[in-house]
Structure formats: C-alpha cells, structure tokens
Amino acid sequence: MSVMFSWRRLLVWAATAAVMIVAPLVFTQGFAVSMLSQMGIAIIFALSYNMLLGQTGMLSFGHAVYFGLGAFFSAHALNAIGAGTFGWPVSLLPLIGGVAGLVFGVIFGYVTTKHSGTPFAMISLGIAEMVAACSLMFPSFFGGEGGISTDRVVGEAVMGITFGPSLQVYYLIAAWCFVCMIAMFALTQTPLGRMANAVRDNPERARFVGYNPTRVRFLMLSLAGFFAGIAGALEVINFELITAERLGTVASGNVLLMAFIGGIGHFYGPIIGAVLVTFLQSALSNYTQAWLLYFGLFFLVMILFAPGGIASLITLHKPVVQTRMLGRLALPYVAAAASAAVLMLGLVALVEMLYHIETKAEQVGTVMSLFGRQLDAATAQPWIVAAIILIAGGGLLAFVGRFVRSAWNDVTVAANQAKGA
Amino acid sequence: MAAALELKGVHKSFGKTAIINGVDLAIEKGERHAVIGPNGAGKSTLFNLISGRFPVTSGTISLNGQPITGLQPQQINHRGLARSFQITNIFPKLSVFENLRCAVMWSLGYKYSFWQRVGGLKDVRERADELVGMIGLQKRRDTLAGVLSYAEQRALEIGITIGGGADVILLDEPTAGMSNTETADAVALIRNVTVGKTLVMVEHDMSVVFGLADRISVLVYGQVIATGTPQEIRGNKAVQEAYLGAEVE
C-alpha cells in the first residue's frame, strides 16, 4: 500500500542531517573541512546530473555547462554585492546561480531535448564545446585563463556570520546540500518525476498515455540546470574563484563518473559517488602524481564488476543482511580483500617506480622511497620483487574469487529460502 | 450524431510502396468493431495512422467529429483515443501499479506537475488500484512489469490502454500468442473494460472476432473490401474468396 508518511524515510533524512552536522567536528584535520565542502557541492551536482541520466535516461556530456554558467553569474553577482551595487544576502547567492542554470537549461534544453539517446548525447557534447569556446571569446565575462575571482566576505555580518571562516562556509553548503537533496528526492515522487522514469523506459508508450516525451525531457533538463547552477554558486562561495575549465567537458565527464560509480539506478547512488570520488581525487592527489591513473583503474574495475555502481552492490546485499547471513560472507570477503591488497601493492610499486623514472629521476636520481623503504628504481631487483608480488596477488585473487562466488551462491540460495519460508 | 471514428480516403505510402489505398470507414459510438485481413493487409499500419504514430499520406481522420489528422499521438490521446500494441509495449522497469499510475495521471489533470506528491494523490491511487483489480493482477501489483508472464503483460497492456478513460479504444491483436484459456480470459477482460466505449480491434483469432464484434471490416491490400455484421461478412462472397475461405469451415 502507498505510504502517506514514512517514519523510516524521516529517520534516514534525520541521520543524513546529523552526519552532515557532525562531520566537520569529527574530521578536524586542516584539509577536512574544505574537502567536506567540496563533497557537499559535488553531491548536489551529481544528483542533478542523475535527474537526466538515471531518471530520464538522458546521457549528457555537457552538464557542467549549467554548473559553470551558474557559477560565473554568481561570481559577478557576488562582486556586485561587494561593490555595493546589488543588495542580496550571500547566503542566498545559490538562488542566483540556480536561476542562471535554469535559464540556460531552458535555452539549451529547448534545442537538445527534441532528441534522445545518442543524438542527445552528441548535441550535449556540442553545446559543452560551444560554451567552452565562448568562454575564450568573452574574457570580460569569463575572465580568460585566470577566471573570475571574488570575495565572499561582503556585506554586514548577520548574527556574527561573515562566511570568512571555512567552517561557516561548510555549514552554508551543507544546508543548501540538504535542502537540494530533499527537493530532488521529492521531485522523483511527483507526476513529472514518475513520467521521467516512464520516458526513460519507453518514450513511445509515454506518448500514447498522453505525455509528450520531449516536454518531460525538457522540464527535467531545465530543473537539473537549476540544481547544477546552485552547486556552481556554492563553488564560487567556497573557492572565491571560478575558471572556465569548470564548465568544460572534463568537468562534465567527472560528474558522469561520480553518478556512475555511485550508481545511477538509485536515488542515493550519486551521493555515494560524489563523496567517494571527491575523497579519492583530493586524497590520492596528495600522495601520488599517478592518481589519475589509479582513478581510471578504479573506474574500470567498477564498470567491469559492478556496472550498477556501489548502490547496486548495497541493494544486492540487502536480502543477505536481512536474513542475517552476512557473517557467512565475511571470511571469503576478507580473504578477497587481502589478495586484492597484495595485487595492488605490486601494481602500485610498478606504477610508482615507472613514474619516478619517467618524471623525477632527472632531478633527484633513481633512488626513491616506496612504502617506507629506500630503493633504486634503476636496478632490477625492486622490479622483479614488485612483479612477483603483482603476479602472486593476481593468482591469490583468482583462487579466492572462486570461494567468494560459491559462498555468495550458497548464501543467496539460503536467503531466498529463508524469505520464502 | 458524428461517428466515433471516421476515416475518409486515407492513403499511406512508404516511399513508393502504397500500404493503405483509400480507406473509408465509419465506426459508430459504442460499437465493437473488428478489422480483419490477411498478413500484410495493412491492419497495424491503419492503427498507426489513426493513433498518430505515422502521418497519413492523404485523407482525413476524425474522432467524434473533430479532425485529428496530423496531430501528435499524445494530442490524439488527449482527445479521447487510446491504443494497445501488437508487440507488448509497457514500462518494464516500473511496477504494475506504477505502469497504471502513469496511464491515469494525465486524464486526472496532473499533467507535468512537479509540485504535487504523486503518493498523496488519492484519485490517482484509487483509479490505478481499480485498474489493477480490473485486469486481475492484484497479486502482482508491486511486481516489475518486465518480469510478468506474457499473458499478464498483455493484460497490463490493456490496463494501460484503458487507464486514461479514453472512449475510443484501439486494440492491436490483444490475444496474439495466447493459449485457449488465456484467450478466453482476455476476451472476458476486453468485454468487461470496453462497456460503454467504442472498441476497434485487429485480431487474427476468428472465434474472438465473431464472439466480440458487432461489425467487422475486412482489409485486403490496403483497402476495405467489406464492412458488415458478422453474419454479413460470413456470407460475403468477395470476403470468402479473398480471405476467409480457407480459415472458416
């Protein structure tokens, strides 16, 4: 039966809010607040992207256009606020970005949503390239290569809030993120949101129950542009700088990765993806130059082994948890994780040595430190050891994989029986 | 009184191939009308023209006296015509209930609303649940449509078609591929859900046609060669020669 009001859902939202409030108090390292802020922005952006891909079945390669244009309009608005020519509270700046995103969503959406599938994807790519080209042609608006810089500490402090300290900015982002999450979730529960799913599954049938698929796609893209614009404005507040690369195809590809890794089939998938990808990008890039390669490998492994994203893995384990059989998978999973760790140790060693020789050896010599050990990348021994570790890890994983599979089969069969009984 | 559905001089060509060659047809309100004819006669194409899936090459089509020639499928649907498909055409990743909910939302006036919670719309829920009951899928209400059995999907197809409350219903081979008992169930369902409505159906199963239809049109090579009551069609020489001869008696 349709539930008018769900306590369980309320509990999930309350827990989400609690996590967002407590997070910066738990993670107090210097970079943590900044990373959490970026996560909040990424969550809004990835969810807005999934309004297209996951909910309406539109693969866009140009969603950063709405994020970026929203950001540029907000940056100019913020500068006008600072100059005293525009009276508007900084905390509501995201509305400006949202309206800019919405307006461009309406304009570009009108052109692109007449098509679906591959033609839509290609046109979205074209629009992304076109807007990126425009950003070079109009340096007064886009600020050329340096971008538009701004200052968020403007106007009078309201109750002592200046948005100077990054913690205050985090809570502003968190509040907007929370509101946007709820709004985007609520949208999935409206007639338009339900018809978006119908259009994704079968646009032709949607026509014959009275809905114009073009109109549904147009409305969804316009609204997705609105939320992307909000994220863009928050980016401006967070970094006090916006450059044209944030509206380019690389940024558009990045949000696609977030949504895909998290799982486009579930509402919360892109949230997981946004958090994880933001974390990996800033954490990995702190440790290694080769982070983009690791990130690419991670994406590859995800697509190969969990094409539905992390959310689909969670869904897959739901019946196992409900029937209390997760324990039976613990040992195989730990063994698989250990083998994967061995494999990665070998792989990382090889990649890092290669990177060292290719990029650093000329300046600092071939001696490098890896996993706390000194080694000379010009000698054969570390390469042989790393290769042996890699092969051993691969062999172990292949061996353990069989046990994981058989344990999984046993558990799912048992879980189905328990449910049936 | 205007006919529920009227076709005048309708032609359709794909390139140089003429599929529909001047069809004139008038279907009265409340009538159950079957379109029969050999494979390739253009029956499905005729449905696609009436429902706006393809544009006509020439001729006019009117619904309850209003011209609908050249309109988009959703516009024709808004004017009170709904259709089913020969090849099952449902929303596979939505549940049975959600499929039917999509089918009823427009007619209840919610259109593209993004400010109302669909779960809170009592009329939508009640109408969709009523449809679930009508097509006999109560036990499958929350099952994904894509995993239903073939006969269940066909029933859902009919449920989606009638969901919007259209008064002219087009069913394209509703019993194709069904067993005898499934066919009997489907006929009972069609009879039940089209009470007080105008029904036009394409059907190959002659027992269904003669059991359900008030009148029958015979389409051969894109032309209606005869229209009449089942008795008249049975006795029509041209029909027997062109089509029925081998299959009846």
Side-chain angles (χ1 to χ4, degrees):
Chain A
M1 292 297 106
S2 262
V3 185
M4 298 290 290
F5 178 83
S6 158
W7 281 104
R8 201 169 146 261
R9 193 168 283 165
L10 191 72
L11 201 70
V12 170
W13 284 116
T16 308
V19 167
M20 292 170 84
I21 291 168
V22 171
L25 309 176
V26 176
F27 303 102
T28 50
Q29 298 92 324
F31 63 91
V33 172
S34 161
M35 192 196 284
L36 288 169
S37 295
Q38 289 177 50
M39 283 176 182
I41 295 166
I43 287 172
I44 302 174
F45 191 29
L47 281 176
S48 80
Y49 182 74
N50 207 40
M51 287 171 66
L52 303 181
L53 182 58
Q55 289 165 27
T56 324
M58 302 157 82
L59 175 61
S60 168
F61 291 119
H63 198 50
V65 161
Y66 310 105
F67 177 96
L69 288 172
F72 274 102
F73 275 90
S74 324
H76 287 292
L78 189 55
N79 282 337
I81 296 170
T85 52
F86 179 52
W88 189 266
V90 173
S91 55
L92 294 183
L93 189 70
L95 275 184
I96 307 247
V99 170
L102 175 68
V103 168
F104 285 100
V106 167
I107 295 169
F108 295 139
Y110 183 77
V111 182
T112 58
T113 55
K114 292 201 170 73
H115 304 271
S116 62
T118 311
F120 171 81
M122 292 302 112
I123 298 169
S124 74
L125 188 63
I127 287 191
E129 289 293 353
M130 186 189 79
V131 174
C134 282
S135 69
L136 298 174
M137 285 161 61
F138 303 108
S140 58
F141 185 79
F142 292 100
E145 280 190 6
I148 298 287
S149 57
T150 179
D151 181 3
R152 67 189 178 218
V153 188
V154 292
E156 302 211 349
V158 182
M159 294 185 301
I161 298 170
T162 60
F163 296 120
S166 56
L167 193 63
Q168 288 181 5
V169 170
Y170 167 76
Y171 280 117
L172 178 71
I173 290 170
W176 274 99
C177 179
F178 190 66
V179 170
C180 288
M181 279 197 286
I182 289 184
M184 281 187 267
F185 178 76
L187 188 70
T188 66
Q189 308 292 309
T190 64
L192 177 66
R194 302 323 296 167
M195 281 318 296
N197 290 171
V199 165
R200 171 197 67 198
D201 286 2
N202 191 343
E204 174 159 69
R205 198 41 161 137
R207 275 182 187 279
F208 289 96
V209 297
Y211 283 86
N212 185 349
T214 299
R215 183 77 61 84
V216 171
R217 284 192 286 262
F218 169 73
L219 289 169
M220 289 301 281
L221 192 140
S222 303
L223 292 171
F226 175 72
F227 288 109
I230 289 178
L234 289 169
E235 171 107 339
V236 166
I237 295 176
N238 191 34
F239 287 119
E240 300 179 300
L241 173 73
I242 183 71
T243 57
E245 66 179 21
R246 299 296 286 137
L247 50 71
T249 45
V250 174
S252 290
N254 206 31
V255 74
L256 192 161
L257 293 187
M258 285 182 189
F260 227 102
I261 286 172
I264 60 168
H266 297 78
F267 178 79
Y268 64 89
I271 300 177
I272 299 176
V275 169
L276 189 70
V277 168
T278 309
F279 174 77
L280 284 180
Q281 286 180 343
S282 42
L284 281 179
S285 61
N286 275 345
Y287 288 110
T288 165
Q289 276 187 299
W291 70 274
L292 214 51
L293 186 121
Y294 297 123
F295 183 64
L297 276 173
F298 172 68
F299 183 64
L300 206 66
V301 169
M302 282 299 299
I303 295 298
L304 283 175
F305 295 100
I310 291 166
S312 77
L313 292 180
I314 294 174
T315 307
L316 215 54
H317 283 82
K318 230 180 214 168
V320 178
V321 174
Q322 276 165 353
T323 49
R324 295 162 191 274
M325 287 189 221
L326 196 59
R328 286 161 68 172
L329 289 171
L331 192 64
Y333 277 9
V334 169
S339 333
V342 174
L343 177 80
M344 274 169 59
L345 187 74
L347 182 76
V348 169
L350 288 177
V351 170
E352 292 298 322
M353 286 191 290
L354 195 65
Y355 251 75
H356 187 88
I357 287 193
E358 287 294 320
T359 61
K360 286 190 205 153
E362 278 185 20
Q363 286 98 43
V364 297
T366 53
V367 175
M368 63 185 283
S369 95
L370 190 65
F371 302 121
R373 287 170 162 274
Q374 294 289 320
L375 57 84
D376 186 350
T379 59
Q381 193 210 5
W383 290 87
I384 293 168
V385 171
I388 289 171
I389 294 175
L390 177 76
I391 292 164
L396 263 175
L397 195 58
F399 182 70
V400 171
R402 261 184 284 166
F403 287 99
V404 173
R405 229 163 288 148
S406 79
W408 173 256
N409 287 340
D410 291 349
V411 164
T412 43
V413 168
N416 280 336
Q417 279 170 351
K419 274 199 154 179
Chain B
M1 197 172 77
L5 193 63
E6 190 166 17
L7 282 70
K8 278 186 190 158
V10 170
H11 285 79
K12 177 66 184 178
S13 308
F14 291 101
K16 282 183 179 164
T17 319
I19 303 295
I20 299 292
N21 262 322
V23 166
D24 294 292
L25 193 61
I27 293 161
E28 298 304 321
K29 285 206 170 90
E31 182 182 333
R32 291 202 180 98
H33 197 107
V35 178
I36 63 172
N39 283 330
K43 303 184 296 292
S44 286
T45 304
L46 195 63
F47 267 28
N48 288 335
L49 296 177
I50 297 171
S51 62
R53 197 187 197 186
F54 303 151
V56 298
T57 306
S58 67
T60 60
I61 305 172
S62 43
L63 182 68
N64 297 320
Q66 304 293 317
I68 56 168
T69 325
L71 294 183
Q72 293 282 308
Q74 69 272 13
Q75 295 171 315
I76 294 171
N77 179 266
H78 299 164
R79 285 161 175 73
L81 181 140
R83 68 165 294 180
S84 75
F85 290 81
Q86 185 183 349
I87 296 160
T88 307
N89 206 343
I90 54 179
F91 303 113
K93 286 185 199 160
L94 304 184
S95 73
V96 168
F97 175 75
E98 286 174 322
N99 266 270
L100 294 166
R101 197 164 61 178
C102 288
V104 307
M105 278 190 311
W106 186 279
S107 64
L108 293 173
Y110 296 106
K111 302 188 176 178
Y112 301 102
S113 157
F114 52 86
W115 50 89
Q116 281 161 309
R117 219 166 62 82
V118 77
L121 304 174
K122 197 157 165 261
D123 50 352
V124 169
R125 189 173 66 242
E126 285 176 355
R127 175 76 180 132
D129 266 326
E130 186 193 339
L131 285 165
V132 173
M134 278 172 100
I135 60 173
L137 293 183
Q138 292 95 332
K139 285 184 180 161
R140 307 289 254 164
R141 182 186 184 275
D142 298 312
T143 306
L144 291 190
V147 303
L148 296 176
S149 74
Y150 177 72
E152 287 170 331
Q153 289 188 344
R154 295 304 295 175
L156 179 59
E157 173 88 40
I158 291 174
I160 295 172
T161 305
I162 61 163
D167 48 37
V168 178
I169 306 285
L170 270 53
L171 300 181
D172 195 351
E173 299 202 26
T175 70
M178 286 187 176
S179 71
N180 286 340
T181 42
E182 286 168 344
T183 300
D185 289 345
V187 169
L189 172 64
I190 293 166
R191 198 184 287 281
N192 184 21
V193 299
T194 55
V195 170
K197 294 174 191 275
T198 308
L199 170 69
V200 189
M201 58 188 279
V202 167
E203 185 55 66
H204 275 296
D205 186 328
M206 286 306 141
S207 68
V208 173
V209 170
F210 286 104
L212 261 176
D214 303 319
R215 289 205 304 154
I216 297 170
S217 289
V218 184
L219 193 68
V220 178
Y221 293 120
Q223 283 180 315
V224 176
I225 61 164
T227 295
T229 64
Q231 259 64 36
E232 288 167 357
I233 293 300
R234 270 212 180 93
N236 186 309
K237 278 252 164 64
V239 174
Q240 286 176 353
E241 279 169 19
Y243 174 52
L244 280 178
E247 291 185 35
V248 169
E249 273 126 5

